[in-house]
Amino acid sequence: MTSGTLIAFIIIALFGAGWKLFFQSDQLPPTPFPESWRKILNDRVRYYKKLSAEEQPRFEQAVLQFFEDVDITGIETELSDTDRLLVAASATIPLFGFPGWRYHNLNEVLLYENTFNHDYQTEGDERNILGMVGTGAMQRMMILSKRALHQGFDDQRSKSNVGIHEFVHLLDKADGETDGIPEMLMESPYIIPWLKEMHEEINDIKDRDSDINPYGATNQAEFLSVAAEYFFSQPHLFERKHPDLFALMETIFRQDLSG
């Protein structure tokens, strides 16, 4: 092995170790989960309710870990346990196939009562934003509309969930680019099939031959998040309508939602 090859190998090894440290943590002893919170999850989060008796405690511990890592702040709105639990559930669902992984690229989630604009204003024109991952001065922050957050979990027929949408953006962003290719989650052999399937679906959306939210045709990053909302909110319908895309997303997120 040449010195140049050795150096390259060391850099790659350190890079991979760094990404593991970025997301993973040591397993801690289980912390008691309040029964009142468990009832809220059962009542409001279908994903949690469908988990097995063995999986639900792991979901609960991930929620508690999220609360330790990330502040949730109401902006001119009071927050309830339900509000906080829906934020934590939104974060836990897309990472549930990766036990122990955490959002170390997020410090705080801000909840606004309703929609806002690009200047984070809740009054005036163009208040049509439901959620966003912060940039610049808002780096390491996420902003969500509380009303939209609740709607994503309350509407049993909806394919949309703004909380899941924004947390998938955050996962996509973890490799340095928000480009619809979540390299932190996706093994290399699946990148080309994913790109092929994604672009076929985007073309179908543009041709009005798809039931995926048209916003998914905006760009690759939006397609990933829009498809993930649908995948986690209505998995059986998604599998029936988009079987190839469904199979790829099960592989990417390491979750079996079929059947």
Side-chain angles (χ1 to χ4, degrees):
M1 180 181 292
T2 66
S3 59
T5 303
L6 178 60
I7 292 171
F9 178 81
I10 293 171
I11 290 172
I12 291 170
L14 290 173
F15 184 76
W19 280 124
K20 287 186 176 181
L21 289 172
F22 188 72
F23 271 103
Q24 292 180 328
S25 64
D26 295 331
Q27 294 297 310
L28 300 175
T31 302
F33 196 80
E35 188 59 40
S36 61
W37 291 7
R38 186 171 292 122
K39 183 178 186 308
I40 291 170
L41 290 179
N42 264 310
D43 291 344
R44 303 294 298 276
V45 182
R46 281 182 300 158
Y47 180 98
Y48 169 85
K49 190 173 183 177
K50 291 179 179 180
L51 292 175
S52 68
E54 292 75 25
E55 291 173 320
Q56 285 186 347
R58 183 163 70 81
F59 190 99
E60 294 167 2
Q61 292 303 306
V63 166
L64 292 175
Q65 184 64 70
F66 182 82
F67 286 153
E68 283 195 16
D69 292 341
V70 180
D71 293 327
I72 303 173
T73 305
I75 303 300
E76 297 183 356
T77 186
E78 295 294 324
L79 297 188
S80 66
D81 286 347
T82 299
D83 299 326
R84 295 183 174 88
L85 284 165
L86 293 185
V87 172
S90 300
T92 299
I93 288 168
L95 266 188
F96 196 63
F98 299 83
W101 285 31
R102 296 156 62 180
Y103 292 91
H104 288 314
N105 56 347
L106 181 68
N107 291 341
E108 187 173 17
V109 176
L110 307 179
L111 283 185
Y112 284 30
E113 183 64 34
N114 208 338
T115 56
F116 50 95
N117 62 25
H118 286 283
D119 296 320
Y120 318 114
Q121 301 298 315
T122 57
E123 297 179 358
D125 298 331
E126 300 181 358
R127 291 182 297 106
N128 57 359
I129 300 176
L130 304 178
M132 66 165 54
V133 173
T135 59
M138 302 292 284
Q139 190 76 9
R140 302 179 68 84
M141 290 187 181
M142 179 183 293
I143 309 162
L144 297 172
S145 157
K146 187 169 76 171
R147 182 174 298 180
L149 175 70
H150 280 256
Q151 287 174 343
F153 286 97
D154 291 345
D155 187 345
Q156 300 295 301
R157 295 175 296 178
S158 176
K159 304 168 190 171
S160 301
N161 184 299
V162 69
I164 292 174
H165 182 107
E166 296 305 327
F167 276 102
V168 170
H169 273 321
L170 200 63
L171 293 175
D172 186 14
K173 186 180 180 181
D175 59 17
E177 291 186 84
T178 309
D179 57 2
I181 308 171
E183 294 179 29
M184 288 299 306
L185 310 182
M186 189 183 299
E187 296 180 7
S188 297
Y190 296 103
I191 291 178
I192 291 177
W194 168 249
L195 286 169
K196 179 178 180 294
E197 192 66 32
M198 175 166 54
H199 284 289
E200 287 179 359
E201 292 286 351
I202 287 175
N203 287 334
D204 286 344
I205 294 172
K206 290 178 177 178
D207 292 339
R208 299 185 179 181
D209 190 28
S210 176
D211 68 334
I212 294 175
N213 186 336
Y215 190 61
T218 304
N219 54 47
Q220 291 185 177
E222 295 302 343
F223 179 85
L224 172 64
S225 283
V226 164
E229 293 178 79
Y230 190 168
F231 174 74
F232 287 113
S233 298
Q234 302 291 340
H236 303 317
L237 179 62
F238 192 88
E239 182 179 20
R240 180 162 59 86
K241 294 278 191 177
H242 310 277
D244 294 336
L245 183 61
F246 180 86
L248 273 172
M249 296 192 76
E250 280 196 317
T251 299
I252 292 168
F253 289 103
R254 299 185 190 177
Q255 300 195 40
D256 180 4
L257 302 185
S258 61

